[in-house]
Amino acid sequence: MSQHPSKPGGVFNKKNKWLLWVGVILMILAMVAYVATLDESEVPGRGGEPVPEEAP
């Protein structure tokens, strides 16, 4: 079997380096969206239906 010489750079070489940057930008946007919407989540025990003290 012939072995191919390994190329430096691995998967993200110069040819598809844009793919790495697209992934980085999408990850940053996802983190910003998570932090921006964190205060809009419902907090248990505030509002909504009252929780009964004892189950029947």
Side-chain angles (χ1 to χ4, degrees), residues 22-33:
V22 167
V24 168
I25 291 170
L26 287 175
M27 183 66 69
I28 291 172
L29 288 175
M31 288 189 285
V32 168

Side-chain angles (χ1 to χ4, degrees), residues 1-2 5 12-13 16-17 22 25 31 33 43 49 53-54:
M1 251 190 229
S2 65
F12 296 110
N13 54 18
N16 58 358
K17 197 171 227 179
V22 167
I25 291 170
M31 288 189 285
V43 178
E49 248 180 72
E53 293 295 322
E54 288 184 26

Side-chain angles (χ1 to χ4, degrees), residues 36-44:
T37 60
L38 192 58
D39 292 334
E40 297 174 11
S41 63
E42 287 189 29
V43 178

